[in-house]
Amino acid sequence: MPIDPDQAIGAALPERAFRWDTSDVLLYHLALGAGTDPVDPRELRYAYEADLQVLPTFGVIAPTLRLTEPPRVSLPGVEIDLAAVLHGSQEITVPGPLPTAGSAVARGRIVDVQDKGSAAVIVQETEVVDAAGTLLWTARSSIFARGEGGFGGHRGSAARVPAPDRSPDAELLTPTLPQQALWYRLCGDRNPLHADPAFAARAGFDRPILHGLCTYGMVCKAVVDGLLDGDAAKVGTFSARFAGVVVPGETLRTRVWDTGEQLVLATSVAGTDTPVLADAVLARR
């Protein structure tokens, strides 16, 4: 059916109750490449439960980490073919360190539907609270649906975060592995775009690509390790726009500018400078 912005905008999404434990956190970190040096105390804080910390980006996937079916883009006023969809942007804000285990409820809503002409952008916000009603994190995301524009909605605007006009304060190289997407899909994203060559071809790609949220998590970890003393609790907010795709096996190159109030990031594929994450900001907590 065509997109109906009047029905979609403001619509509440079904509440999702979920739980997680240390094994889920460990799997997520390992899927991001943690533990490369298995005797490094800082790596073991991601890969061993004795002194486990949780990357804030875990909150993005926690509500769906036990799903084993390919996702469907079926929302109030929105029905979209999965092959037409790419992740557009992602943001997470955490008021404090995430628990290594717990249970929570996610309450989401559609906050905007934008008509870009040749495509549609659907923006969602989610609040996650524990059993006592304490806010654990908030997330905001958008999906980009090719060929789904032209329904008469407003175009919307795009927030841009220009990098400072100077050399970056740091440059981080993060290799991905050929099997990275096959590991990461075990964290609850079974979109065949990341595993099935035939499906990837139908979506317009030469081969399966890495999950945008895997790139998002890997870059967050790289910045935590490289500029925040390996302390994930120092992250308050991490936001980024997905500007390109990564083929598993490629290396990420992240340039970082420290403005004092926040870290501005730009991630590309090393050796090609193909943009991957743009308008990315990590705010300290």
Side-chain angles (χ1 to χ4, degrees):
M1 74 175 192
I3 292 175
D4 182 350
D6 293 331
Q7 181 183 354
I9 296 174
L13 304 177
E15 288 191 0
R16 184 187 296 273
F18 64 97
R19 61 180 178 83
W20 70 98
D21 56 28
T22 56
S23 293
D24 298 314
V25 175
L26 294 170
L27 173 62
Y28 174 71
H29 289 162
L30 291 172
L32 299 181
T36 302
D37 183 348
V39 296
D40 182 342
R42 296 216 310 187
E43 285 299 304
L44 288 176
R45 293 205 67 200
Y46 299 109
Y48 179 46
E49 61 273 16
D51 186 28
L52 184 63
Q53 64 174 349
V54 186
L55 278 171
T57 51
F58 174 76
V60 174
I61 62 97
T64 56
L65 59 84
R66 300 193 190 284
L67 298 185
T68 58
E69 296 295 323
R72 296 178 59 221
V73 188
S74 180
L75 306 168
V78 177
E79 291 286 344
I80 299 174
D81 180 2
L82 183 61
V85 171
L86 292 172
H87 210 132
S89 64
Q90 184 66 56
E91 175 181 310
I92 189 163
T93 299
V94 293
L98 297 189
T100 59
S103 60
V105 174
R107 301 186 178 105
R109 64 190 181 97
I110 302 174
V111 296
D112 201 7
V113 178
Q114 301 169 2
D115 187 346
K116 302 296 187 180
S118 62
V121 174
I122 297 93
V123 183
Q124 301 177 53
E125 286 186 352
T126 302
E127 288 191 347
V128 174
V129 299
D130 65 14
T134 301
L135 180 67
L136 296 177
W137 65 84
T138 59
R140 182 182 179 96
S141 64
S142 70
I143 58 173
F144 184 87
R146 296 169 295 176
E148 297 294 340
F151 51 85
H154 74 104
R155 185 170 180 83
S157 59
R160 294 289 183 256
V161 184
D165 186 18
R166 58 178 174 81
S167 297
D169 297 296
E171 183 173 306
L172 309 170
L173 294 177
T174 308
T176 70
L177 297 174
Q179 66 269 39
Q180 199 89 49
L182 299 179
W183 286 345
Y184 187 83
R185 67 191 301 269
L186 300 181
C187 297
D189 188 341
R190 301 296 179 95
N191 187 337
L193 176 63
H194 309 294
D196 185 337
F199 187 94
R202 184 161 72 90
F205 297 99
D206 293 336
R207 59 185 299 162
I209 62 174
L210 189 62
H211 305 69
L213 286 181
C214 184
T215 300
Y216 178 77
M218 293 182 78
V219 169
C220 183
K221 179 181 181 298
V223 174
V224 167
D225 293 343
L227 289 100
L228 300 180
D229 302 318
D231 186 356
K234 292 183 178 180
V235 179
T237 297
F238 181 40
S239 61
R241 177 173 60 86
F242 299 102
V245 300
V246 177
V247 174
E250 293 179 325
T251 294
L252 307 174
R253 172 178 175 255
T254 300
R255 293 174 294 164
V256 185
W257 292 263
D258 189 343
T259 68
E261 296 181 352
Q262 59 191 20
L263 302 174
V264 177
L265 320 175
T267 300
S268 60
V269 174
T272 68
D273 283 333
T274 302
V276 175
L277 296 185
D279 306 316
V281 174
L282 189 151
R284 299 177 179 89
R285 189 173 60 81

